[in-house]
Amino acid sequence: MSMQGPLATSRSATGIPTGRLGVWWLLASEIFIFGGLIACYILYRLNNPWWGGEAVFTKVPAGAFNTFVLLTSSLFIVLAHDAAEKKDFDRAFKFIWYTIGGGGVFLLVKYYEYSSKLFADDPELLKTPLTNTYWSFYYTATGLHALHVIGGMVIMALISFDLRKGFNPHRVELIGLYWHFVDIVWIFLFPLLYIAK
Amino acid sequence: MGQTTVTHDSHAAHGHDHHEQSFIMKYFFSTDHKIIGLQYMFTGMFMAIVGGYFAYAFRMQLAFPGMEVPLYGTVGPGQYNMLITNHGAIMIFWVAMPVLIAAFGNILIPLMIGCDDMVFPRLNRLSYQIFLLSVVVLFMSFFVQGGGFGGAWTSYPPLSAVAEYNLTDWGASLWLIAVALEFVAFLIGGINFVTTSMNARAPGMRMTDIPIVVWMIVLASIMFMASVGPLIAGSVMLLMDQRVGTTFFVPSGGGDPVLWQHLFWFFGHPEVYVVLLPALGIVAEIMTTFARKKLFGYKTILYTTFATGGLAFVVWAHHQFIAGIDPRMANIFLVTTLLISIPIAEILFSYVATLYGGSIEFRTPMLWALGFLVTFLLGGVTGIYLGSSALDIYFHDSYFVIAHFHSTFFPIAIIGMFAGLYHWYPKMFGRMMDETLGKIHFWGTIIPFNGIFLPLFLVGMAGQHRRIYNFQHFPDLATADLQGIRVFATVSLVTMLLFQFVFAYNFFVSMFKGEKAPANPWKSNTLEWTVPSPPPHGNFAELPTVYRGPYEYSVPGNKEDYWPQNMPDRN
C-alpha cells in the first residue's frame, strides 16, 4: 500500500502485519478450491481402479524433475526474502528472477508433457482431456496449477523492479508465501496423478 | 495490484489536504468503503427489481396459464424455466449477498470498529468491479442464442452440462461464468472484511466489544470462503463439461452427476447461514437500540454462532435424500440437520430475552426486526419437516419446499435488508425517512408475503410439484380449488410488489427532501453514530478509543439511557 493510504492499512491489532494476514486468508480460500478438486479426484479414483492403467502414460521422470525445479525455486524465494530483510536489494532482485526462472523451466517441461500427449502421432499415446475422466482431471488439475504458477511469476516480475529500488520489501515475503503454496499443491498433485498406479 | 500508484482519493492520515474529486472518480473509481458499499447496495437493489419482475412474470403464468402477462408477454415453457432459474440465482447471488454482506459489511465494518477505511481499499474496489462484471455477464446470458439458462439455480448435471439437453448452449456457460465471477468478488471482499476486523480495530476494542453485526459478517465471510472453494472447483469442472466436452458430471462418459450435488450443497447449505448471520446481526443492533436494553448473552450468541457455523458444514446431504444416497447416510444427515435447529433457536431465544422487559419503541426499523423474528421462525420450523428423511421423500421438490425456503430467505434477504436500510439510512444519506410511509411499507410487505407463501405450503402438501409451468396439463393438480389458491398467491405477490413503490418513493424523496438527520438519531451506542451523518471522507475527525461493549443501554447511574462506546466517563 502506498504511504498515503488510509490509517486502517497501517493498523495491526493482532500484531500480525495486515498484508501477511491477507495472504494467509487468500491461501486459506485457495486450499478449499484445490482441496475440493483433489477430493473429487480421490473419490473418482477410488471408484475407478482402472485409472491406474491410464496413469502409466504420465511421464514420471518429467514430473519428478519439475518437483525438484519447484522446490529449488522455493529455496530461491526464501533467499530473496532473506536478502530483502538484510536490505541487500540487488541480491533480492537476483533471487526473485531465479525464482521466476524456476517457474519458467517448470512451464517448459509442462509444455513438453502436454504436447507429447495432445499431439502424439501414435493413437495409443494420444491423450486429450476428452479421452476419459482420468485425463479430464489430469489436464484440469495441472492446468489450474500451471495458471497459478504463471500468476505468481507475473506478480514477482512486477514487484521485482520496485524491490531493486528498495520499495515495499515486505512484498517478497507475501509472494513467497504464495509460491510455497503453489509448490505444496504440486506436491499433492504429483503423487496423485503421476505416481499412484 | 503491484504498482505503487497513489490512489486519487487517498488522504494523508496526518495533515488533511482535501482536494475536490471529480464525480467520476468519486462515484465510479472510489476506494472509499462507504461509496463501495453504496455501489453494492444500489446494484443489489436494481437486481432485486429484476428478480421481482421475473417472479411476477412466472407467478402470473401459474395463476392464469397462457395469458399475455402485462409488461412481459406470453411465458412459454423454456421462458418459464429461464425465469425461475434466474429469479433464484439473482435473489441469492446478486441481491442477498451484495446487500447483506457486501453493502452493509462495507459501510458498517470500518465505522463500527472505528477506523477510516478497509485495510485493502483497492482490493475492495476490485471486488466491486468483478461483481459488476458478473452482472454484465449474467445479462449477456439472457440474450444469446437459445436464451438464458433454464436448468434451475442448482444447475444439476447432466441437464446443465450438455447443450443438447438444456438447449441453452452459451446461456448455460455465461450463467456459470457469472456465478463464478460473483464468487471471486465475494472471496476478495471477504478477505478484506476478515482482515480489517482483525487488524484495524480502534484502540481499546476487545474481541467482545465488537458489535454483533460485525462478528456476524466476518463469520459469514469465513463460512463463505470455506464452503465456496469446492464449488469453484466444481464450476471449473462443469464449465469444462460444457465447453471442452469432458464428462466429469455426465454419466454417459463415466462421470457422476451426484458429485455435483455434493459440491453444490456443500456450498449451498452453508450459504443459507452465510446470508442469515448478517441479517441476525442487523436485527441484534436494531433490537438493542429500540428496546433500550443490553443484548442478552453476547458471548452465548457468539459461541452459538460458532456452533452453527460448524454444524452448517455437515448437513448438506439433506438436500439429496432422494438422490440415491445410502439411507444410512441419510440418517446421519437427518440427525445433524435437526441438531442445527438448536443453536439457531438459542439465538432467537436470546433475542426474545433481549426484548423482555425492555422499553420497546415501535419505530420502523424495530417493526422490520420483529417481523424478521416472526417470519423466520415459521421458515425454521417448517425446515424440521424437510430435514426428516421420511417426510422429505413426500415433500421433496414440492411447493412445500418452495414455501419453506422463502419463509427463511425472505426474512433474511428482504426483511433483514429493509430493517438495516431503515436503521442506517440516516447514517448513509444524512436524512430521515418518513415514519408513516415506512410503516405502511412494512405492513404492505409482511401481510402479502404471508399471503403468498402460507397458501403454497398447502398446495405443496396437496402434492403440487415445482418446476411445472402449466398445471392445467395435470388433471390431479388442475382442480378449481388448487387453482384458486394459486391465484390468491399471485394476487398477494402483485400486492406486495406494488407496496414496494411506497418504499421507492420514501427512499428517493427522503434522500433530498427528508428531515436532516442528526449524528445519532436513535441514541445508539456504536461508533458509527458518533460521526456526522453522512460521515465525511475518512470517517472520524479524530480516531476514537473504545472503553466498553456496544450494548450498554439503560445503565443505572447514568443520566442518559445510552452510553456510547467511545465515551470515557459516565453519561
Side-chain angles (χ1 to χ4, degrees):
Chain A
M1 286 300 134
S2 57
M3 292 297 288
Q4 277 181 293
L7 181 74
T9 59
S10 59
R11 271 191 178 166
S12 178
T14 57
I16 307 168
T18 298
R20 199 193 295 163
L21 207 53
V23 171
W24 277 117
W25 281 110
L26 173 77
L27 296 186
S29 66
E30 290 266 23
I31 286 171
F32 287 107
I33 298 175
F34 277 104
L37 190 63
I38 290 171
C40 290
Y41 170 76
I42 292 174
L43 287 172
Y44 270 109
R45 180 71 198 253
L46 292 174
N47 285 326
N48 297 285
W50 58 273
W51 282 12
E54 291 294 319
V56 297
F57 292 99
T58 55
K59 297 187 184 334
V60 177
F65 176 72
N66 255 352
T67 312
F68 173 73
V69 168
L70 267 194
L71 283 173
T72 313
S73 72
S74 266
L75 171 69
F76 289 145
I77 198 73
V78 172
L79 290 172
H81 176 217
D82 182 58
E85 293 265 284
K86 292 178 178 144
K87 304 214 182 302
D88 187 349
F89 297 120
D90 282 331
R91 192 176 143 83
F93 179 80
K94 184 179 78 179
F95 277 118
I96 279 213
W97 278 92
Y98 284 1
T99 315
I100 296 172
V105 173
F106 178 90
L107 290 176
L108 278 176
V109 174
K110 204 84 248 168
Y111 172 76
Y112 156 73
E113 284 187 71
Y114 276 11
S115 57
S116 70
K117 292 186 185 66
L118 288 170
F119 310 113
D121 295 326
D122 183 351
E124 282 273 297
L125 299 177
L126 180 73
K127 301 292 179 191
T128 71
L130 305 186
T131 305
N132 56 45
T133 315
Y134 169 80
W135 290 103
S136 308
F137 268 111
Y138 174 85
Y139 284 104
T140 309
T142 57
L144 201 61
H145 176 261
L147 284 178
H148 279 75
V149 172
I150 295 170
M153 288 164 67
V154 170
I155 295 169
M156 278 191 271
L158 285 173
I159 68 167
S160 67
F161 297 102
D162 272 357
L163 179 69
R164 186 150 66 165
K165 292 181 216 132
F167 294 139
N168 291 315
H170 69 284
R171 284 177 175 168
V172 183
E173 184 196 351
L174 305 184
I175 190 66
L177 286 172
Y178 171 85
W179 196 252
H180 289 326
F181 169 78
V182 173
D183 206 352
I184 291 167
V185 170
W186 177 253
I187 288 173
F188 275 91
L189 292 182
F190 177 55
L192 284 171
L193 291 168
Y194 287 69
I195 299 177
K197 298 286 189 319
Chain B
M1 296 301 291
Q3 300 87 346
T4 48
T5 45
V6 177
T7 47
H8 282 262
D9 59 350
S10 65
H11 51 86
H14 31 92
H16 275 267
D17 53 324
H18 271 288
H19 53 95
E20 282 304 307
Q21 297 162 303
S22 69
F23 183 83
I24 299 269
M25 285 316 290
K26 187 168 174 193
Y27 291 103
F28 289 92
F29 296 99
S30 175
T31 56
D32 187 321
H33 70 100
K34 298 180 290 295
I35 302 290
I36 294 172
L38 289 179
Q39 287 173 329
Y40 265 117
M41 176 162 290
F42 282 112
T43 316
M45 285 163 74
F46 169 72
M47 293 306 279
I49 296 171
V50 178
Y53 173 61
F54 284 7
Y56 156 78
F58 67 70
R59 277 278 3 142
M60 290 298 274
Q61 158 66 21
L62 289 173
F64 313 106
M67 92 176 287
E68 180 106 356
V69 179
L71 303 175
Y72 188 87
T74 322
V75 181
Q79 280 276 313
Y80 178 84
N81 286 340
M82 175 279 204
L83 289 172
I84 56 161
T85 301
N86 287 293
H87 166 75
I90 286 175
M91 286 304 195
I92 289 170
F93 296 132
W94 283 280
V95 179
M97 295 282 291
V99 176
L100 281 172
I101 299 190
F104 284 116
N106 264 310
I107 294 169
L108 295 180
I109 288 178
L111 282 167
M112 282 187 145
I113 65 170
C115 70
D116 53 355
D117 208 329
M118 289 284 175
V119 292
F120 302 120
R122 286 180 293 169
L123 217 50
N124 208 11
R125 180 181 57 189
L126 181 71
S127 158
Y128 176 72
Q129 287 167 341
I130 294 176
F131 174 74
L132 194 62
L133 180 67
S134 79
V135 172
V136 173
V137 174
L138 180 73
F139 278 110
M140 275 162 60
S141 82
F142 301 156
F143 299 106
V144 290
Q145 181 119 43
F149 178 54
W153 79 285
T154 53
S155 75
Y156 279 3
L159 177 63
S160 59
V162 184
E164 286 83 63
Y165 303 161
N166 59 43
L167 304 177
T168 52
D169 186 11
W170 273 102
S173 295
L174 288 175
W175 183 87
L176 192 60
I177 292 168
V179 173
L181 282 172
E182 195 261 8
F183 290 162
V184 172
F186 283 101
L187 272 183
I188 296 175
I191 290 171
N192 214 344
F193 292 164
V194 177
T195 316
T196 302
S197 311
M198 284 175 80
N199 251 0
R201 296 200 303 278
M205 185 177 260
R206 295 165 302 166
M207 298 285 259
T208 47
D209 295 335
I210 302 174
I212 277 286
V213 67
V214 175
W215 264 115
M216 292 289 188
I217 293 173
V218 166
L219 291 173
S221 301
I222 296 174
M223 283 179 72
F224 178 76
M225 189 186 284
S227 61
V228 82
L231 187 59
I232 291 182
S235 308
V236 172
M237 288 152 74
L238 187 56
L239 199 64
M240 293 274 287
D241 279 1
Q242 288 176 348
R243 302 277 33 119
V244 183
T246 56
T247 55
F248 286 114
F249 301 121
V250 185
S252 61
D256 182 6
V258 177
L259 181 69
W260 169 269
Q261 299 189 14
H262 283 297
L263 292 174
F264 184 85
W265 290 115
F266 183 77
F267 160 77
H269 203 84
E271 168 71 9
V272 177
Y273 298 94
V274 168
V275 289
L276 168 64
L277 295 188
L280 280 175
I282 289 169
V283 168
E285 301 300 327
I286 295 171
M287 281 191 170
T288 49
T289 302
F290 291 97
R292 316 307 293 166
K293 260 193 78 188
K294 191 170 181 147
L295 185 67
F296 184 88
Y298 178 101
K299 280 188 185 163
T300 310
I301 290 177
L302 206 53
Y303 298 147
T304 314
T305 312
F306 293 151
T308 312
L311 277 172
F313 283 91
V314 289
V315 299
W316 80 88
H318 65 219
H319 295 271
Q320 296 159 254
F321 283 152
I322 62 156
I325 63 171
D326 191 320
R328 287 165 299 181
M329 198 160 95
N331 280 344
I332 295 170
F333 280 99
L334 183 159
V335 172
T336 54
T337 304
L338 298 193
L339 272 180
I340 204 169
S341 58
I342 295 172
I344 291 294
E346 200 175 320
I347 295 179
L348 293 189
F349 277 126
S350 296
Y351 285 10
V352 175
T354 305
L355 295 173
Y356 181 76
S359 43
I360 297 175
E361 252 184 295
F362 288 104
R363 302 292 290 266
T364 315
M366 187 60 165
L367 283 181
W368 287 99
L370 296 172
F372 171 88
L373 275 196
V374 175
T375 36
F376 183 75
L377 195 63
L378 190 65
V381 167
T382 50
I384 310 249
Y385 294 75
L386 294 170
S388 317
S389 54
L391 264 180
D392 185 66
I393 291 171
Y394 181 71
F395 282 141
H396 190 92
D397 257 355
S398 74
Y399 267 64
F400 190 88
V401 175
I402 294 192
H404 154 70
F405 172 89
H406 284 85
S407 299
T408 56
F409 257 76
F410 187 88
I412 294 171
I414 307 298
I415 299 185
M417 173 180 88
F418 281 132
L421 258 180
Y422 279 102
H423 188 60
W424 281 289
Y425 186 92
K427 191 49 65 184
M428 290 177 200
F429 300 106
R431 306 252 181 191
M432 304 298 288
M433 277 175 104
D434 188 281
E435 278 282 315
T436 316
L437 289 179
K439 282 172 182 160
I440 293 172
H441 175 218
F442 170 75
W443 292 111
T445 304
I446 209 97
I447 295 171
F449 162 73
N450 287 298
I452 306 169
F453 290 106
L454 291 181
L456 293 191
F457 280 115
L458 296 178
V459 290
M461 284 189 274
Q464 180 173 312
H465 202 272
R466 69 199 284 195
R467 291 177 187 138
I468 289 173
Y469 96 106
N470 187 349
F471 289 102
Q472 303 310 311
H473 299 157
F474 299 83
D476 289 343
L477 297 173
T479 56
D481 43 352
L482 279 180
Q483 193 59 30
I485 297 179
R486 281 178 212 125
V487 173
F488 183 82
T490 300
V491 171
S492 299
L493 173 79
V494 175
T495 316
M496 187 178 86
L497 291 177
L498 287 176
F499 269 102
Q500 304 315 305
F501 286 102
V502 178
F503 170 74
Y505 175 83
N506 196 359
F507 186 83
F508 287 108
V509 171
S510 301
M511 209 181 282
F512 301 102
K513 297 240 167 72
E515 187 193 331
K516 286 249 192 233
N520 193 357
W522 314 123
K523 300 200 190 314
S524 199
N525 283 344
T526 39
L527 293 174
E528 81 272 26
W529 303 108
T530 62
V531 295
S533 306
H537 191 60
N539 299 344
F540 297 89
E542 195 174 332
L543 286 155
T545 305
V546 170
Y547 297 95
R548 65 188 63 77
Y551 304 115
E552 299 296 326
Y553 292 102
S554 309
V555 179
N558 275 354
K559 283 200 290 294
E560 299 278 351
D561 66 349
Y562 67 110
W563 200 5
Q565 285 189 280
N566 66 340
M567 186 177 278
D569 306 313
R570 287 259 158 198
N571 193 346

